[in-house]
Amino acid sequence: MTEQHDALERAHGVTRRTVLKGVVAGALVLCLHESGQIALAGTASRKYGVDAEPGGAVENPLVFVAIHPDDTVTITVARPEMGQGIRTSMALVVADELEAEWPRLRVVQAPGDQARYGNQDTDGSRSMRHFFGPMRRVGAAARMMLESAAAAHWGVPVSEVHAEAQQLWHRASGRHLSYGDLAQAAAREAVPDPQRVRLKSPEQFRYIGKLSTRAIDGADIVAGRARYGIDTRLEGMLYAVVARPAVLGGRLIDYDARAALAVPGVVRVVEIAAHPLPAQAYPLGGVAVLARNTWAAIKGREALKIRWHDGANASFDSQRFEGQLEQAVRRPAEVVRNDGDALSALQAAPRRIEAEYYLPFLAHASMEPPAATARIVAGHCEVWAPVQDPQGTRDLITGLLGMKESDVTVNVTLLGGAFGRKSLGDFAGEAAVLSKAMGGTPVKVMWTREDDIRHDYYQAVAMERLEAVLGPDGLPLAWLHRSASPTEDATFVAGAEGEDSSEYGMGMINIPYRIPNIRLEIPKVPAYTRIGWFRSVYNIAHGFAIQSFIDELAHAAGRDPREYQLSLLGPDRRIDPRTLSDQWNYGESPRRYPLDTGRWRAVIERATREAGWGRALPKGRGLGLAATYSFMSYAAAVVEVEVDRSGRIAVPRVDIAFDCGPQVNPDRVRAQLEGACIMGLTVAKHGAITFKDGRVQQSNFNDYPLLRLPEAPREIHVHVQQAGFEVPLGGVGEPGMPPIAPAFANAIFAATGQRIRHLPVGESVSRT
Amino acid sequence: MALTLHINGRSVDVDAAPDTPLLWVLRDELGLTGAKFGCGMGLCGVCTVHVAGEPVRACLTPLAAVQGKSITTIEAAGEGRIGRAVQSAWLALGVAQCGYCQAGQIMSAVALLRATPQPSDDQIDAAMAGNLCRCGTYPRIRAAIHQAAQQLRETP
């Protein structure tokens, strides 16, 4: 594990989910005493949260806030916008402490520059979790600098000056000045120590936690003016479409470009070198057709004649692999958590309950396929790209072009959806390489939908086996869970096998249930394609399996699933995740972010109450419950399904209760939960990527369907728990996903008696 | 080959083969990037524009089929009363997340309200079934269409 981690760091810096490994292998030593108390050595050196991220947080207001003489305020947002609303939410946090007026506010998107802006790698549902504090202090520090400048201007003590609604006031004399009047003087004031800035108390907030701010990009979006990666246009720009090897690791043998070059508008055909595996974020290689417009490039690519050598992955067959995963979960494997003696309890039991659950590979299929534009002028490469990790993309291009970092600028456009796909900037790398090949001419690389579906960084396929023995009270005496899933690490380290500690840390290892004997095992299974991160990542498979299995156990025990869930959680308590053998805890401090079973209980109670759990339903209808904890937030979903006589499944209603601690932008919290519900239903009903002969068999929305509007529940009710700002923030973008598929599957069982263990379900089930 | 198109109330000459899809002429030649590319097969609706008032998928519509007809894109949607009401409802309800598909959603919604001023949920479902949204804004799209319809009814 240590070697793997070191290699990862060399390959990519520290990737998102792997920060912990160095800690497991390194300074932190844990001893579990008989009392169950954790003794720690070396914790002082361990960093958590944003402090553990590359670049950390920057709190210099001069980096993020500019006030112009005309009294407009510009706030620079360093985290990419992909629909989560971060440009609005970050800006409103700064603006609130700054006492800026929302209508006069502009947002500027920062380019990739971690040294200047702090960490920009936008994933893991942590933008607000990590930057709420820093951005409040940025806004407050800027306000204090304005107050100091006003005090100096009037020759009064700063204690007599206060800022309100973008004006500085000296009450005693009735004098006031606008921010714009004092901007230049304020910029010369000393920047206050971040630890000494005066923050508002929550009751003074004007924007934070309110519904008072509209989306910063809303008006541009509805008018078609918003600019995404696909929309970049530069003078003299060429449009490129790339033929990539169909099999990961495939190599070009040769190609004939004559017919392609004969297509009107085609300018050049250029080979892109393939990087040896592991794939990392490098371009896949292949042959690019550059043309005067996108259509000519597409037609040109169709006319290419290419011979490929498919390489070592040419025999990969996902159906056969499913069988290998089945075998893997039926054999003992590496133990990652062992409470009591589950094996003996299982062997001794007269009746053992067993189930295996399957999640296929998933493609992100953001509505905007990957696209990026690059040009090189006077030795400086400038890129426009919809990327979640702008600094990572900058590092990639710096290496690809053999340039200095200071000679590479990565401008971040709006992202037309991302969901983890655009964490890795291979497509931006293609644009840079092609521009270089064309002597610096601007080149836009456009991925078609087929390219996107066939060359994704896929959500890993997973097989989850669970076994349990019930005690006399119907609750489990023993619990065995084996999770066989390729690791994302394999994208960076050749031969990495099986989930790493951050991956099984997503909802598998950190179960708080009152079960005396728990054994969790991770079989080593290989990856034959690029594995990536998909919204909520390994929580999808773990949540589906565990929450379905609990429903199965409840029915086996003859108990109500809601009451059973609550019994399993037991009395309210705050659990140090290390006592669950979870060293990762999403990179957060185990003290600041313990697992709180009371909050988990509360979302189950809320969702079931709001959904009318237990109400009489007509034949063919059923309610299903699932509740998960991920990214420091608690989510419970009750899905209502209706299965008609033909077996066709409809979802008339979903109730989601959610606890992410305090909400910075409550309407966007609701929007993320609604969206997670729709995406979760797509996972449950529709999504599956399969491989044959090493090739992805799907290509577009005809064979990789997404949920459509008529299938969307007529009612989605989001119930958000209220919390004060003394509670640490939880994540929002991802944690709504994991409970949806199992709640849907459990509802189908309630409606039909048919147990769903294999996703996707499809349009219909047989009705008994 | 030079063709004359009537887009957003203006006539423009474009030099492109008659089988070129309208989408790429709008985006690459004319700089009207509001209509997006999503699938190239008419499966997702992010490229939806109006031709002679009807919603069409620009990625599948050859130039030859639209010559001499009136084309409206999202950039001009706000010039009509229905378009303004739809945009305003979209903003009021915070429909957009990433926003990429919303130009197509709005163009489909405007066409729906033009043909069916007070649509039922079933009519909305039928009219909007061809427009995908990966962020999952469907519940708010339904609500915003109802709100726009109500606004149009109350302020004729």
Side-chain angles (χ1 to χ4, degrees):
Chain A
M1 214 53 146
T2 311
E3 266 175 41
Q4 189 166 315
H5 176 66
D6 290 349
L8 270 171
E9 281 201 315
R10 282 196 303 275
H12 188 57
V14 181
T15 64
R16 79 179 269 199
R17 312 285 182 185
T18 53
V19 173
L20 177 83
K21 283 188 208 157
V23 175
V24 173
L28 187 70
V29 180
L30 282 176
C31 318
L32 188 58
H33 287 252
E34 283 176 18
S35 65
Q37 292 291 313
I38 286 275
L40 289 170
T43 41
S45 62
R46 171 107 190 249
K47 289 181 174 174
Y48 296 108
V50 74
D51 296 333
E53 297 298 330
V58 168
E59 302 198 2
N60 182 351
L62 299 176
V63 170
F64 295 101
V65 179
I67 297 168
H68 308 277
D70 68 354
D71 220 29
T72 56
V73 173
T74 302
I75 293 175
T76 298
V77 172
R79 313 277 291 180
E81 173 65 62
M82 50 185 152
Q84 81 279 44
I86 204 64
R87 278 162 58 87
T88 305
S89 299
M90 283 290 191
L92 75 85
V93 171
V94 177
D96 203 326
E97 292 286 357
L98 178 59
E99 270 296 310
E101 291 294 284
W102 192 254
R104 273 179 268 170
L105 193 115
R106 304 285 174 269
V107 168
V108 169
Q109 189 72 38
D113 191 346
Q114 183 177 286
R116 179 168 170 79
Y117 299 105
N119 188 271
Q120 296 177 268
D121 186 6
T122 303
D123 65 6
S125 298
R126 54 189 160 80
S127 287
M128 207 39 84
R129 200 164 89 222
H130 286 179
F131 290 91
F132 179 60
M135 288 302 122
R136 283 184 72 188
R137 291 189 287 275
V138 160
R143 187 196 70 232
M144 288 170 68
M145 291 163 76
L146 286 157
E147 289 167 348
S148 295
H153 182 81
W154 290 320
V156 302
V158 72
S159 59
E160 293 180 12
V161 175
H162 88 279
E164 190 182 324
Q166 219 163 302
Q167 298 275 327
L168 292 147
W169 292 87
H170 184 243
R171 284 273 182 249
S173 63
R175 286 176 289 185
H176 63 93
L177 286 166
S178 76
Y179 279 15
D181 294 334
L182 279 165
Q184 285 190 325
R188 290 191 295 269
E189 292 289 326
V191 175
D193 177 349
Q195 300 311 312
R196 304 187 63 164
V197 296
R198 288 191 323 276
L199 296 174
K200 286 184 174 179
S201 58
E203 62 273 15
Q204 294 174 303
F205 288 156
R206 301 169 61 192
Y207 310 131
I208 296 168
K210 314 288 187 205
L211 298 168
S212 53
T213 49
R214 279 197 183 167
I216 208 89
D217 298 306
D220 284 342
I221 286 170
V222 301
R225 288 191 305 262
R227 292 282 178 264
Y228 300 85
I230 188 184
D231 296 328
T232 305
R233 289 165 57 80
L234 298 174
E235 189 67 33
M237 180 173 84
L238 293 174
Y239 298 78
V241 172
V242 182
R244 300 174 190 80
V247 180
L248 179 66
R251 293 297 178 128
L252 187 66
I253 298 170
D254 54 28
Y255 66 97
D256 178 349
R258 281 171 296 183
L261 288 165
V263 172
V266 170
V267 174
R268 276 268 296 272
V269 173
V270 174
E271 183 180 337
I272 300 179
H275 191 275
L277 295 178
Q280 305 178 56
Y282 289 104
L284 286 165
V287 182
V289 176
L290 294 100
R292 294 283 168 210
N293 58 66
T294 314
W295 183 242
I298 290 171
K299 300 299 281 182
R301 181 173 69 173
E302 286 170 5
L304 283 174
K305 293 182 181 66
I306 305 179
R307 291 197 303 157
W308 303 98
H309 182 265
D310 286 340
N313 291 320
S315 61
F316 180 51
D317 180 313
S318 54
Q319 199 175 344
R320 208 164 56 227
F321 191 61
E322 185 179 339
Q324 290 168 22
L325 294 176
E326 259 172 20
Q327 295 309 307
V329 296
R330 291 170 189 174
R331 289 191 298 263
E334 185 191 338
V335 180
V336 296
R337 177 174 164 190
N338 193 22
D339 304 355
D341 185 355
L343 291 184
S344 298
L346 285 162
Q347 274 153 14
R351 185 177 166 228
R352 183 169 16 171
I353 300 166
E354 307 173 345
E356 289 170 1
Y357 303 89
Y358 181 73
L359 178 78
F361 289 106
L362 303 175
H364 301 78
S366 55
M367 293 314 300
E368 178 194 38
T373 305
R375 73 173 174 204
I376 303 169
V377 177
H380 190 98
C381 178
E382 192 165 13
V383 176
W384 291 260
V387 285
Q388 291 174 244
D389 180 11
Q391 179 66 46
T393 301
R394 190 184 190 200
D395 294 343
L396 172 75
I397 291 169
T398 298
L400 281 170
L401 300 189
M403 288 177 139
K404 295 202 301 283
E405 186 190 59
S406 56
D407 286 332
V408 176
T409 299
V410 173
N411 301 296
V412 180
T413 65
L414 291 175
L415 283 61
F419 314 111
R421 169 60 181 90
K422 294 167 183 169
S423 285
L424 295 170
D426 53 335
F427 52 98
E430 291 175 337
V433 166
L434 289 172
S435 178
K436 185 180 181 185
M438 297 302 291
T441 298
V443 174
K444 172 155 75 180
V445 169
M446 184 70 229
W447 285 42
T448 63
R449 182 59 60 192
E450 290 78 7
D451 298 336
D452 175 52
I453 298 288
R454 290 173 179 156
H455 302 291
D456 199 355
Y457 289 88
Y458 301 95
Q459 170 62 33
V461 62
M463 183 70 74
E464 311 279 331
R465 178 178 177 84
L466 286 121
E467 299 179 15
V469 174
L470 303 185
D473 59 355
L475 290 177
L477 278 174
W479 172 283
L480 172 73
H481 182 179
R482 288 194 196 107
S483 177
S485 185
T487 173
E488 196 276 344
D489 300 351
T491 300
F492 290 91
V493 180
E497 294 195 337
E499 291 163 58
D500 72 27
S501 59
S502 67
E503 291 163 348
Y504 59 69
M506 291 192 218
M508 179 193 183
I509 201 164
N510 54 340
I511 49 169
Y513 301 123
R514 304 278 278 182
I515 304 171
N517 303 289
I518 293 179
R519 187 179 180 93
L520 308 180
E521 298 180 3
I522 299 292
K524 299 292 182 200
V525 295
Y528 297 102
T529 184
R530 300 196 298 183
I531 305 297
W533 304 288
F534 182 106
R535 192 179 192 176
S536 87
V537 208
Y538 291 80
N539 281 296
I540 300 173
H542 298 151
F544 172 57
I546 292 170
Q547 292 298 310
S548 295
F549 194 58
I550 289 173
D551 198 73
E552 296 206 38
L553 297 183
H555 284 99
R559 291 172 63 169
D560 171 67
R562 172 189 178 278
E563 179 267 325
Y564 196 80
Q565 288 261 8
L566 297 174
S567 298
L568 264 177
L569 280 174
D572 292 358
R573 61 209 187 280
R574 289 155 67 91
I575 300 173
D576 185 320
R578 293 168 296 189
T579 64
L580 307 174
S581 303
D582 177 15
Q583 310 300 340
W584 182 53
N585 202 38
Y586 295 90
E588 302 293 349
S589 156
R591 291 210 173 79
R592 187 166 158 78
Y593 285 99
L595 196 163
D596 189 329
T597 63
R599 293 171 70 184
W600 200 326
R601 171 188 54 75
V603 292
I604 292 172
E605 290 176 345
R606 179 87 185 270
T608 49
R609 184 173 70 245
E610 301 276 2
W613 185 262
R615 66 188 143 98
L617 290 165
K619 188 170 161 51
R621 285 214 184 201
L623 297 180
L625 168 66
T628 53
Y629 168 67
S630 62
F631 306 93
M632 331 330 287
S633 291
Y634 304 80
V638 175
V639 171
E640 180 173 348
V641 303
E642 179 175 23
V643 181
D644 69 17
R645 263 190 283 273
S646 70
R648 197 177 165 79
I649 310 161
V651 179
R653 174 172 175 153
V654 176
D655 287 79
I656 307 169
F658 187 58
D659 182 352
C660 60
Q663 305 164 62
V664 172
N665 191 346
D667 185 61
R668 286 305 90 185
V669 174
R670 306 183 87 82
Q672 285 300 299
L673 272 286
E674 292 161 8
C677 174
I678 300 294
M679 190 174 270
L681 288 174
T682 290
V683 169
K685 283 181 76 176
H686 293 310
I689 292 293
T690 58
F691 290 80
K692 191 159 181 58
D693 300 325
R695 289 157 169 78
V696 171
Q697 292 180 286
Q698 290 71 33
S699 60
N700 208 315
F701 297 124
N702 55 332
D703 48 17
Y704 189 73
L706 308 180
L707 203 82
R708 290 181 180 275
L709 188 138
E711 301 171 83
R714 290 280 168 91
E715 295 181 63
I716 298 179
H717 300 282
V718 178
H719 315 284
V720 188
Q721 306 285 83
Q722 299 301 311
F725 279 90
E726 71 285 356
V727 177
L729 275 70
V732 171
E734 295 170 271
M737 281 281 289
I740 300 299
F744 173 80
N746 294 339
I748 289 176
F749 181 81
T752 68
Q754 184 173 330
R755 180 58 66 183
I756 303 297
R757 298 199 183 101
H758 198 284
L759 295 182
V761 177
E763 298 279 355
S764 53
V765 289
S766 56
R767 184 173 156 177
T768 51
Chain B
M1 181 181 165
L3 295 165
T4 301
L5 300 179
H6 302 287
I7 301 177
N8 299 338
R10 284 187 293 276
S11 292
V12 290
D13 292 332
V14 297
D15 185 21
D19 64 344
T20 307
L22 173 62
L23 177 66
W24 300 114
V25 172
L26 293 173
R27 292 184 51 83
D28 295 352
E29 312 298 334
L30 304 176
L32 294 168
T33 55
K36 303 304 186 197
F37 170 75
C39 68
M41 294 176 71
L43 298 168
C44 77
V46 301
C47 64
T48 305
V49 300
H50 292 178
V51 175
E54 294 296 316
V56 304
R57 310 305 182 205
C59 74
L60 283 186
T61 305
L63 285 190
V66 297
Q67 203 179 2
K69 295 180 182 169
S70 161
I71 300 162
T72 307
T73 70
I74 185 68
E75 285 86 353
E79 290 169 16
R81 178 172 163 270
I82 297 174
R84 274 197 303 280
V86 169
Q87 287 173 329
S88 148
W90 245 247
L91 287 174
L93 296 186
V95 171
Q97 290 185 30
C98 86
Y100 187 82
C101 72
Q102 298 300 342
Q105 304 280 2
I106 287 169
M107 295 309 281
S108 290
V110 170
L112 165 65
L113 290 173
R114 193 179 289 140
T116 312
Q118 301 298 320
S120 65
D121 273 335
D122 286 341
Q123 287 169 319
I124 292 172
D125 283 4
M128 303 301 291
N131 288 81
L132 288 174
C133 173
R134 187 56 155 159
C135 296
T137 63
Y138 299 138
R140 293 195 192 205
I141 288 172
R142 276 203 198 102
I145 291 173
H146 282 306
Q147 178 161 320
Q150 186 185 350
Q151 191 202 320
L152 289 164
R153 184 175 65 230
E154 287 170 0
T155 52

Short mmCIF file of all heavy atoms in Angstrom, two decimals, chain A residues 309-331:
data_model
loop_
_atom_site.label_atom_id
_atom_site.label_comp_id
_atom_site.label_asym_id
_atom_site.label_seq_id
_atom_site.Cartn_x
_atom_site.Cartn_y
_atom_site.Cartn_z
N HIS A 309 -3.45 -1.92 -33.28
CA HIS A 309 -3.09 -3.11 -32.51
C HIS A 309 -3.79 -2.95 -31.15
O HIS A 309 -3.55 -1.97 -30.44
CB HIS A 309 -1.58 -3.21 -32.34
CG HIS A 309 -1.16 -4.44 -31.60
ND1 HIS A 309 -0.93 -4.45 -30.25
CD2 HIS A 309 -0.98 -5.72 -32.02
CE1 HIS A 309 -0.61 -5.67 -29.87
NE2 HIS A 309 -0.64 -6.47 -30.92
N ASP A 310 -4.67 -3.90 -30.84
CA ASP A 310 -5.55 -3.68 -29.68
C ASP A 310 -4.85 -3.82 -28.33
O ASP A 310 -5.30 -3.27 -27.34
CB ASP A 310 -6.74 -4.63 -29.74
CG ASP A 310 -7.75 -4.21 -30.80
OD1 ASP A 310 -7.72 -3.03 -31.20
OD2 ASP A 310 -8.54 -5.06 -31.25
N GLY A 311 -3.80 -4.61 -28.27
CA GLY A 311 -3.06 -4.70 -27.02
C GLY A 311 -3.67 -5.65 -26.01
O GLY A 311 -4.57 -6.44 -26.31
N ALA A 312 -3.18 -5.52 -24.77
CA ALA A 312 -3.43 -6.54 -23.75
C ALA A 312 -4.88 -6.59 -23.26
O ALA A 312 -5.31 -7.60 -22.70
CB ALA A 312 -2.50 -6.29 -22.57
N ASN A 313 -5.63 -5.51 -23.45
CA ASN A 313 -7.00 -5.50 -22.93
C ASN A 313 -8.04 -5.97 -23.95
O ASN A 313 -9.24 -5.87 -23.71
CB ASN A 313 -7.37 -4.08 -22.45
CG ASN A 313 -6.58 -3.69 -21.22
OD1 ASN A 313 -6.38 -4.51 -20.32
ND2 ASN A 313 -6.13 -2.45 -21.17
N ALA A 314 -7.55 -6.50 -25.08
CA ALA A 314 -8.47 -6.82 -26.18
C ALA A 314 -9.41 -7.97 -25.85
O ALA A 314 -10.42 -8.16 -26.53
CB ALA A 314 -7.67 -7.16 -27.44
N SER A 315 -9.10 -8.73 -24.82
CA SER A 315 -9.99 -9.86 -24.50
C SER A 315 -10.96 -9.51 -23.37
O SER A 315 -11.74 -10.37 -22.95
CB SER A 315 -9.15 -11.08 -24.11
OG SER A 315 -8.38 -10.76 -22.97
N PHE A 316 -10.93 -8.27 -22.92
CA PHE A 316 -11.78 -7.94 -21.77
C PHE A 316 -13.25 -8.04 -22.14
O PHE A 316 -13.71 -7.46 -23.13
CB PHE A 316 -11.47 -6.54 -21.24
CG PHE A 316 -12.32 -6.16 -20.05
CD1 PHE A 316 -12.41 -7.02 -18.96
CD2 PHE A 316 -13.04 -4.98 -20.03
CE1 PHE A 316 -13.20 -6.69 -17.86
CE2 PHE A 316 -13.83 -4.64 -18.94
CZ PHE A 316 -13.91 -5.50 -17.85
N ASP A 317 -13.97 -8.78 -21.33
CA ASP A 317 -15.39 -9.03 -21.55
C ASP A 317 -16.09 -8.83 -20.20
O ASP A 317 -15.83 -9.57 -19.25
CB ASP A 317 -15.55 -10.47 -22.05
CG ASP A 317 -17.00 -10.84 -22.32
OD1 ASP A 317 -17.86 -10.54 -21.46
OD2 ASP A 317 -17.27 -11.41 -23.39
N SER A 318 -16.96 -7.83 -20.12
CA SER A 318 -17.51 -7.49 -18.81
C SER A 318 -18.47 -8.55 -18.29
O SER A 318 -18.66 -8.69 -17.09
CB SER A 318 -18.18 -6.11 -18.85
OG SER A 318 -19.14 -6.05 -19.88
N GLN A 319 -19.08 -9.30 -19.21
CA GLN A 319 -19.96 -10.37 -18.75
C GLN A 319 -19.15 -11.47 -18.08
O GLN A 319 -19.51 -11.98 -17.02
CB GLN A 319 -20.75 -10.93 -19.93
CG GLN A 319 -21.98 -11.69 -19.49
CD GLN A 319 -22.82 -12.13 -20.68
OE1 GLN A 319 -22.67 -11.64 -21.79
NE2 GLN A 319 -23.71 -13.07 -20.43
N ARG A 320 -18.01 -11.81 -18.71
CA ARG A 320 -17.14 -12.81 -18.10
C ARG A 320 -16.56 -12.27 -16.80
O ARG A 320 -16.43 -12.98 -15.81
CB ARG A 320 -16.02 -13.16 -19.09
CG ARG A 320 -15.47 -14.56 -18.92
CD ARG A 320 -14.66 -15.00 -20.12
NE ARG A 320 -13.58 -14.06 -20.41
CZ ARG A 320 -13.31 -13.59 -21.63
NH1 ARG A 320 -14.01 -13.99 -22.67
NH2 ARG A 320 -12.33 -12.75 -21.82
N PHE A 321 -16.25 -10.99 -16.80
CA PHE A 321 -15.68 -10.36 -15.60
C PHE A 321 -16.68 -10.42 -14.44
O PHE A 321 -16.29 -10.59 -13.29
CB PHE A 321 -15.28 -8.92 -15.90
CG PHE A 321 -14.45 -8.27 -14.83
CD1 PHE A 321 -13.22 -8.80 -14.47
CD2 PHE A 321 -14.90 -7.13 -14.17
CE1 PHE A 321 -12.45 -8.20 -13.48
CE2 PHE A 321 -14.13 -6.52 -13.19
CZ PHE A 321 -12.90 -7.06 -12.84
N GLU A 322 -17.95 -10.30 -14.75
CA GLU A 322 -18.97 -10.41 -13.70
C GLU A 322 -18.84 -11.77 -13.00
O GLU A 322 -18.93 -11.86 -11.76
CB GLU A 322 -20.38 -10.23 -14.29
CG GLU A 322 -21.46 -10.19 -13.25
CD GLU A 322 -22.86 -9.99 -13.83
OE1 GLU A 322 -22.98 -9.47 -14.97
OE2 GLU A 322 -23.83 -10.34 -13.13
N GLY A 323 -18.60 -12.79 -13.79
CA GLY A 323 -18.39 -14.12 -13.20
C GLY A 323 -17.14 -14.17 -12.34
O GLY A 323 -17.13 -14.79 -11.27
N GLN A 324 -16.10 -13.47 -12.79
CA GLN A 324 -14.87 -13.44 -11.98
C GLN A 324 -15.10 -12.70 -10.66
O GLN A 324 -14.58 -13.10 -9.62
CB GLN A 324 -13.74 -12.77 -12.78
CG GLN A 324 -13.25 -13.61 -13.95
CD GLN A 324 -12.36 -12.80 -14.89
OE1 GLN A 324 -11.79 -11.78 -14.52
NE2 GLN A 324 -12.24 -13.26 -16.12
N LEU A 325 -15.89 -11.64 -10.73
CA LEU A 325 -16.20 -10.91 -9.50
C LEU A 325 -17.00 -11.79 -8.54
O LEU A 325 -16.78 -11.79 -7.33
CB LEU A 325 -16.97 -9.63 -9.82
CG LEU A 325 -16.21 -8.55 -10.59
CD1 LEU A 325 -17.15 -7.38 -10.93
CD2 LEU A 325 -15.01 -8.04 -9.82
N GLU A 326 -17.91 -12.57 -9.10
CA GLU A 326 -18.70 -13.50 -8.28
C GLU A 326 -17.80 -14.49 -7.56
O GLU A 326 -17.95 -14.74 -6.37
CB GLU A 326 -19.66 -14.29 -9.19
CG GLU A 326 -21.08 -13.79 -9.17
CD GLU A 326 -21.92 -14.49 -10.24
OE1 GLU A 326 -21.52 -15.59 -10.72
OE2 GLU A 326 -22.94 -13.92 -10.60
N GLN A 327 -16.85 -15.04 -8.33
CA GLN A 327 -15.91 -15.97 -7.70
C GLN A 327 -15.11 -15.26 -6.61
O GLN A 327 -14.88 -15.82 -5.54
CB GLN A 327 -14.95 -16.55 -8.75
CG GLN A 327 -15.63 -17.43 -9.79
CD GLN A 327 -16.52 -18.48 -9.17
OE1 GLN A 327 -16.09 -19.24 -8.30
NE2 GLN A 327 -17.79 -18.51 -9.57
N ALA A 328 -14.72 -14.04 -6.88
CA ALA A 328 -13.88 -13.30 -5.93
C ALA A 328 -14.60 -13.06 -4.61
O ALA A 328 -13.97 -13.12 -3.54
CB ALA A 328 -13.44 -11.97 -6.55
N VAL A 329 -15.90 -12.79 -4.66
CA VAL A 329 -16.60 -12.49 -3.39
C VAL A 329 -17.03 -13.77 -2.67
O VAL A 329 -17.55 -13.70 -1.56
CB VAL A 329 -17.84 -11.58 -3.59
CG1 VAL A 329 -17.41 -10.21 -4.11
CG2 VAL A 329 -18.89 -12.21 -4.50
N ARG A 330 -16.79 -14.91 -3.29
CA ARG A 330 -17.15 -16.17 -2.63
C ARG A 330 -15.94 -16.83 -1.97
O ARG A 330 -16.03 -17.94 -1.47
CB ARG A 330 -17.81 -17.13 -3.64
CG ARG A 330 -19.18 -16.61 -4.07
CD ARG A 330 -19.77 -17.37 -5.24
NE ARG A 330 -20.96 -16.70 -5.71
CZ ARG A 330 -21.64 -17.06 -6.81
NH1 ARG A 330 -21.24 -18.10 -7.52
NH2 ARG A 330 -22.72 -16.38 -7.17
N ARG A 331 -14.81 -16.15 -2.02
CA ARG A 331 -13.59 -16.66 -1.39
C ARG A 331 -13.12 -15.66 -0.33
O ARG A 331 -13.33 -14.46 -0.46
CB ARG A 331 -12.47 -16.78 -2.44
CG ARG A 331 -12.65 -17.90 -3.45
CD ARG A 331 -11.36 -18.09 -4.25
NE ARG A 331 -10.99 -16.91 -5.01
CZ ARG A 331 -11.29 -16.75 -6.31
NH1 ARG A 331 -11.95 -17.68 -6.97
NH2 ARG A 331 -10.93 -15.66 -6.95
#
